[in-house]
Amino acid sequence: MSIAIDVVGGKWKMHLMWVLGEGPHRFGQIRRMLDGVSEKVLAENLRQLEAAGVVHRELYAEVPPRVEYSLTPLGESLNEALAPLGEWGDKHREAVVSQV
């Protein structure tokens, strides 16, 4: 369990996993989908997830260069494991938000 928490710990990594679970996205698309994340923090988190082997960075040799991020098979399996956590949050959102 601690390995999974190490991989997705922090404010943005789990959100990134869910965004990339929808399919490949470019950096700008991800940033627009995650309201409040800075470019620096997003880039750091993507690099960390890539280093952990759960995110793939594809660089296309175009002008200007295009980069897409997607989940690796390992990332897809981790995302499946995170799904019940997201469902719990959806189910208990009102109770948790009212306590904060």
Side-chain angles (χ1 to χ4, degrees), residues 6-7 15 20 34-35 48 50 62 66 76 78 88 93:
D6 289 345
V7 172
H15 295 285
L20 293 175
L34 296 178
D35 189 38
Q48 291 169 358
E50 185 180 6
E62 301 174 352
R66 177 171 55 106
E76 289 174 6
L78 178 57
W88 182 91
R93 179 181 317 274

Side-chain angles (χ1 to χ4, degrees), residues 7-22 25 30 33-35 37 42 45-46 49 71 79 82 85-86 93:
V7 172
V8 295
K11 183 175 181 179
W12 296 107
K13 288 180 186 169
M14 203 170 308
H15 295 285
L16 275 167
M17 295 292 295
W18 285 326
V19 165
L20 293 175
E22 297 173 2
H25 290 290
I30 298 169
M33 295 171 83
L34 296 178
D35 189 38
V37 67
L42 179 56
N45 280 268
L46 284 167
L49 290 170
L71 294 179
N79 215 25
L82 295 172
L85 189 58
R93 179 181 317 274

Side-chain angles (χ1 to χ4, degrees), residues 41-62:
V41 169
L42 179 56
E44 283 176 9
N45 280 268
L46 284 167
R47 275 193 300 272
Q48 291 169 358
L49 290 170
E50 185 180 6
V54 296
V55 167
H56 173 71
R57 180 180 184 267
E58 183 76 30
L59 175 62
Y60 294 91
E62 301 174 352

